[in-house]
Amino acid sequence: MRFYYLLFNILLFTNVISQNSVDYPLDIPIILSGTFGELRPNHFHAGIDIKTQGIEGLNVYSIADGYISRIQITHGGNGKALYIKHDNGQSSVYAHLKKFSKKIEKIVKKVQYSEESYTVKIFPKKNEYRITAKEIIGLSGNTGRSTGPHLHYELRDNKDRPINPMKYKFYKVKDTIPPVISGVYFKNFTKNISGIKYNEASFSKLKIKKINNSLFRSDTLKISGLIGFGVNSYDRMNNTWNKMGLSEILTSENGIKKFDMNLNKFSYEEWRHINNFIDYSTYKKSKFRVQKLYIEENNPLSMYNRKLGDGILNINDTNPYVLYSIKLYDYNNNFTEILIPIMWVENRKNHIKDQTLKYSYNIERDSIYNIDLKNSNLEISKNTFYHNTKLQIFHTDNVLHLDKDTIPLLKPITIKFNLNRYNDSIINKLYVANGNTFVSNRLKEKKIIAKTSILGDFHIKIDTKAPELKILNLKENQWASKIKKIKIKVSDYDSGIKKYDAWINNRWILLEFNPSTGILSYDFNDNIINDSARNDLLVKIEDNCGNISEISRTFYRKPKG
């Protein structure tokens, strides 16, 4: 009997382990480095990031039957990404791939060579390329905007809205650690007809004491008026030191639910509104995120339970003693709670300041502005900002000062620089920069036009220097029969690289660019080669201001047999 019991448990354990390849797109123990809804620069994370044991090249499997709906390759973003529409109406996305499966690579290479472009977007017809469950669709990698080998995996509903993949997985990721609290903050507010009025003043930080691993308590907060709270918090999981996102935040006032934000579903149209969920000014100044536990006016996020109201507490003489609770949940329902005793004090001064700065402009949210300055012009459309605001705007010498990047924008602002003071011979080499970052070099009627989605300092720069270009592993007249890839180092420290191309024997070849290393590579498996041993390579690179570098090599390689 003991033998059968042991055999049963072995079979059960084997079945659970085998669920990895069914439940998840990788057939390895699942450890995450990023969670769904996690806070990222300018967006909520739309999937989960699965660790690939620090390496590239692991098999990536389709989670279910379906067809390829999209193939996309970009230098940044998701890098090499595959989109599958499944028969149940959901879609899955697999990103940062090293390469696709052989049959998909064949589709991609055909389009890349047809369009003579490494970056492509391919939208096959419905059911044109069928994919089955557990089919290998590619190899894990580190392409695009990725800081280390991993697989970014998304699940989307039948309306193409991202949903938390963890909800649909039988195999659970090990997580017994409650969220970590780094700080609790508060500040006063006022209200108008449309809701909570934006308060640009900084948060004040509360002192909190640890009671146990999941419970904290603050000193009594003595205050009056309308109060809003915020938290700086993140989640931890077993077997990893990565900082990850929360799943839900709940607050209550004297045991009555006050605020609820669930981060397990949203739409892509809401991405940028993360800058109204966090305190954008604190993030830009101090590089940490205060997550606001209240809803300001003109915040359209759907993740709030709006039936509860705006989350603001009203501390007054009719409500003099309050026990405020903040509960932070991860997806596995581990939670951390912070208890904040609050006591009303009479005639406490409100900290809201109304600052008037030199060169200050009052920008009404529902108005249009066309502001002429010395050598520059600004166009601000309706609803560019979440709220009415004051901006400090002026132009000195070559710099347009457009306040500071501490106020989030809903729409871009158009900047026009007058170029009359520049010689015609160099106008085509001018560009707008924010710090050292290229913004635009679009010319129209002797003006350079740029659109910006952030505030800050903008100035005109000149770039007359061609990009640097060096072939790393191929010398002139070298026999290259044993070389698998040609590698080319490129760099440009001014306006940045705009485009690159290469040819062997006057035939365009596909170069794959790795932005993190600045290396272009050509794979000889593409078979763009002569029937003779001699081959002539030409590489051409152009920056954003039209400066061009070229390099050529003659090399020899055993002809195709």
Side-chain angles (χ1 to χ4, degrees):
M1 187 69 181
R2 185 178 180 183
F3 169 78
Y4 289 110
Y5 178 79
L6 181 62
L7 180 61
F8 173 80
N9 278 283
I10 290 173
L11 290 172
L12 178 62
F13 177 77
T14 303
N15 184 56
V16 169
I17 292 299
S18 69
Q19 293 300 318
N20 278 9
S21 61
V22 176
D23 283 346
Y24 291 90
L26 291 168
D27 196 15
I28 58 173
I30 302 300
I31 300 174
L32 302 186
S33 60
T35 51
F36 185 88
E38 186 175 306
L39 310 182
R40 299 288 177 89
N42 294 320
H43 70 282
F44 296 97
H45 194 220
I48 58 174
D49 290 339
I50 305 174
K51 286 177 173 284
T52 56
Q53 303 173 336
I55 61 175
E56 300 180 39
L58 299 181
N59 288 337
V60 178
Y61 303 89
S62 171
I63 59 163
D65 293 347
Y67 64 90
I68 298 172
S69 60
R70 182 177 176 185
I71 309 170
Q72 183 166 310
I73 300 179
T74 57
H75 290 136
N78 282 335
K80 294 185 178 181
L82 185 70
Y83 300 68
I84 298 176
K85 184 73 171 179
H86 298 290
D87 296 339
N88 66 355
Q90 293 181 341
S91 298
S92 57
V93 182
Y94 314 81
H96 306 306
L97 299 175
K98 180 178 181 179
K99 62 189 304 183
F100 302 104
S101 66
K102 286 185 179 180
K103 80 173 187 180
I104 300 173
E105 279 286 331
K106 188 175 180 181
I107 299 167
V108 172
K109 287 289 177 75
K110 183 178 179 180
V111 174
Q112 287 176 317
Y113 273 95
S114 173
E115 297 183 2
E116 295 191 352
S117 174
Y118 169 71
T119 60
V120 290
K121 291 182 181 179
I122 305 169
F123 297 92
K125 295 178 182 178
K126 182 178 180 179
N127 291 320
E128 184 176 0
Y129 302 112
R130 291 288 302 177
I131 298 292
T132 59
K134 302 185 190 179
E135 180 179 340
I136 296 175
I137 53 177
L139 301 179
S140 66
N142 190 32
T143 57
R145 193 177 293 112
S146 173
T147 56
H150 73 282
L151 177 70
H152 172 84
Y153 165 58
E154 292 181 25
L155 196 64
R156 303 180 181 184
D157 65 16
N158 57 5
K159 294 183 179 179
D160 206 37
R161 295 173 299 192
I163 49 180
N164 195 336
M166 306 285 282
K167 180 179 179 180
Y168 298 87
K169 304 305 172 192
F170 172 78
Y171 173 85
K172 289 188 176 181
V173 177
K174 188 175 182 181
D175 180 12
T176 60
I177 304 170
V180 177
I181 181 71
S182 299
V184 180
Y185 304 84
F186 70 94
K187 63 179 171 179
N188 282 95
F189 286 89
T190 58
K191 280 190 177 182
N192 54 28
I193 296 175
S194 59
I196 302 171
K197 190 175 180 181
Y198 173 72
N199 176 10
E200 66 182 26
S202 299
F203 278 98
S204 297
K205 188 174 183 179
L206 275 170
K207 290 183 179 180
I208 58 174
K209 297 177 182 178
K210 184 176 180 179
I211 307 301
N212 57 46
N213 283 339
S214 60
L215 181 62
F216 294 78
R217 184 186 185 279
S218 77
D219 294 338
T220 299
L221 175 61
K222 298 178 181 180
I223 202 166
S224 63
L226 301 176
I227 310 299
F229 287 86
V231 293
N232 176 20
S233 179
Y234 58 90
D235 189 38
R236 290 278 199 200
M237 286 188 176
N238 301 68
N239 306 313
T240 175
W241 287 102
N242 292 85
K243 295 181 179 181
M244 285 169 270
L246 304 175
S247 181
E248 187 174 13
I249 304 174
L250 289 171
T251 75
S252 63
E253 179 183 5
N254 294 331
I256 300 172
K257 195 180 288 186
K258 190 74 177 176
F259 173 91
D260 183 4
M261 184 174 192
N262 191 306
L263 292 100
N264 289 294
K265 190 174 183 179
F266 57 89
S267 67
Y268 286 105
E269 288 76 18
E270 298 180 277
W271 258 19
R272 197 169 179 86
H273 299 311
I274 187 176
N275 292 329
N276 206 13
F277 167 55
I278 66 167
D279 188 69
Y280 188 77
S281 177
T282 299
Y283 173 59
K284 286 296 181 175
K285 290 175 182 177
S286 305
K287 302 304 176 188
F288 68 86
R289 296 179 176 92
V290 174
Q291 300 165 63
K292 296 185 284 193
L293 309 183
Y294 53 87
I295 310 169
E296 288 173 318
E297 60 180 337
N298 305 314
N299 182 340
L301 283 172
S302 64
M303 288 120 83
Y304 301 113
N305 180 353
R306 294 182 180 269
K307 294 178 182 179
L308 299 175
D310 55 27
I312 289 289
L313 278 67
N314 189 359
I315 309 301
N316 53 46
D317 57 353
T318 62
N319 186 31
Y321 299 102
V322 168
L323 181 61
Y324 183 66
S325 166
I326 304 170
K327 279 190 174 182
L328 312 170
Y329 288 88
D330 64 23
Y331 188 76
N332 287 327
N333 285 320
N334 302 301
F335 71 88
T336 294
E337 184 174 17
I338 306 102
L339 298 175
I340 304 171
I342 304 173
M343 184 174 74
W344 171 73
V345 291
E346 191 174 4
N347 296 327
R348 184 178 175 90
K349 291 182 179 179
N350 197 311
H351 289 288
I352 300 175
K353 296 179 180 179
D354 186 10
Q355 292 183 321
T356 301
L357 301 172
K358 192 177 181 181
Y359 308 115
S360 183
Y361 289 78
N362 291 317
I363 306 297
E364 299 289 330
R365 185 175 185 270
D366 59 355
S367 297
I368 297 172
Y369 294 87
N370 194 313
I371 302 172
D372 282 316
L373 302 167
K374 180 183 177 182
N375 297 321
S376 63
N377 170 272
L378 293 176
E379 293 178 0
I380 303 175
S381 61
K382 285 185 179 181
N383 302 325
T384 294
F385 296 91
Y386 284 98
H387 45 76
N388 298 340
T389 188
K390 289 183 179 179
L391 297 181
Q392 190 182 39
I393 303 171
F394 59 90
H395 197 133
T396 58
D397 298 326
N398 198 35
V399 179
L400 169 62
H401 179 81
L402 185 51
D403 212 282
K404 299 174 185 173
D405 183 21
T406 56
I407 303 171
L409 274 64
L410 274 165
K411 297 179 181 178
I413 292 173
T414 300
I415 302 171
K416 297 180 181 179
F417 281 93
N418 192 320
L419 302 180
N420 287 332
R421 64 192 186 279
Y422 291 97
N423 191 294
D424 288 346
S425 62
I426 64 167
I427 281 183
N428 287 329
K429 302 300 180 184
L430 301 176
Y431 67 98
V432 178
N434 173 227
N436 292 319
T437 303
F438 174 88
V439 178
S440 174
N441 67 336
R442 185 163 71 93
L443 295 173
K444 186 177 181 180
E445 298 174 353
K446 210 159 184 182
K447 291 181 179 179
I448 191 165
I449 302 171
K451 289 183 180 292
T452 176
S453 294
I454 62 171
L455 303 179
D457 289 345
F458 298 85
H459 56 283
I460 299 291
K461 295 186 74 174
I462 183 169
D463 181 7
T464 58
K465 186 178 180 181
E468 296 179 6
L469 186 58
K470 183 180 181 182
I471 299 176
L472 299 178
N473 62 338
L474 195 64
K475 296 180 180 179
E476 183 69 16
N477 294 321
Q478 177 180 338
W479 273 92
S481 297
K482 294 183 179 181
I483 294 177
K484 294 181 179 180
K485 291 184 178 181
I486 298 174
K487 294 184 178 180
I488 306 155
K489 178 73 174 179
V490 298
S491 58
D492 187 274
Y493 301 104
D494 289 313
S495 60
I497 295 168
K498 179 181 179 181
K499 61 180 294 187
Y500 53 85
D501 286 291
W503 300 263
I504 292 179
N505 306 321
N506 296 318
R507 294 179 65 187
W508 185 88
I509 61 172
L510 177 66
L511 295 178
E512 183 166 335
F513 184 49
N514 185 331
S516 62
T517 62
I519 292 179
L520 295 163
S521 59
Y522 164 70
D523 190 338
F524 277 110
N525 286 325
D526 286 359
N527 289 323
I528 305 301
I529 204 75
N530 258 357
D531 290 333
S532 63
R534 175 178 169 138
N535 296 278
D536 295 304
L537 169 69
L538 174 64
V539 183
K540 182 178 178 180
I541 183 168
E542 181 179 348
D543 66 21
N544 280 300
C545 285
N547 301 301
I548 295 172
S549 290
E550 292 185 1
I551 193 169
S552 61
R553 284 283 188 280
T554 296
F555 66 93
Y556 295 85
R557 188 175 175 88
K558 185 178 178 180
K560 292 182 292 185

